[in-house]
Amino acid sequence: MYIAAVILSALLALVSLAAGAPKAQLKGSVPDELVAKGLSAGLVRFIGLAEVAAAAGLIAGIWWQPLGIAAAVGMLVMMLGAIRYHAKWGDYADAEARGAASAPVLFALVAVAAAITLAASQ
């Protein structure tokens, strides 16, 4: 079970870091699109920093599972917020936006799996 926890945590951490770093720096198309849809630059930066912190917590959680579980649960909460955001903007009904809008659903499932495997490997 520990190997599965390490793999899921590492994968989720990489995705979280890749998604969070541009938002934290307010660079790239994703932060620009979020600001254009009504989120403040400060909120976008906060979300990015939370995603980067989740990545660090997931990696540290490989050695100290309670931190990894907390980071995975935090990631789940962020992904639920992202799902709500995409639903609000109708991205799930739009064929062009559906692919990007489906990513938070997948990451939410991986966050649940990471939390469960980390808890089981204690």
Side-chain angles (χ1 to χ4, degrees):
M1 191 61 75
Y2 180 73
I3 294 172
V6 169
I7 292 170
L8 288 170
S9 295
L11 288 174
L12 191 58
L14 286 173
V15 168
S16 183
L17 183 61
K23 292 176 195 152
Q25 298 173 357
L26 294 177
K27 294 185 179 179
S29 62
V30 173
D32 292 340
E33 291 171 15
L34 292 172
V35 170
K37 287 188 174 181
L39 295 181
S40 70
L43 181 58
V44 172
R45 179 168 278 152
F46 175 77
I47 292 168
L49 291 172
E51 289 174 338
V52 170
L58 285 161
I59 295 302
I62 292 171
W63 293 277
W64 190 47
Q65 285 83 10
L67 180 60
I69 294 167
V73 170
M75 189 70 181
L76 173 63
V77 170
M78 285 188 291
M79 292 303 102
L80 292 175
I83 291 166
R84 182 173 178 260
Y85 172 83
H86 284 293
K88 175 184 172 184
W89 282 97
D91 291 342
Y92 295 109
D94 182 7
E96 291 181 20
R98 192 174 302 132
S102 297
V105 175
L106 174 64
F107 300 146
L109 294 173
V110 174
V112 169
I116 290 171
T117 56
L118 282 166
S121 66
Q122 285 191 21

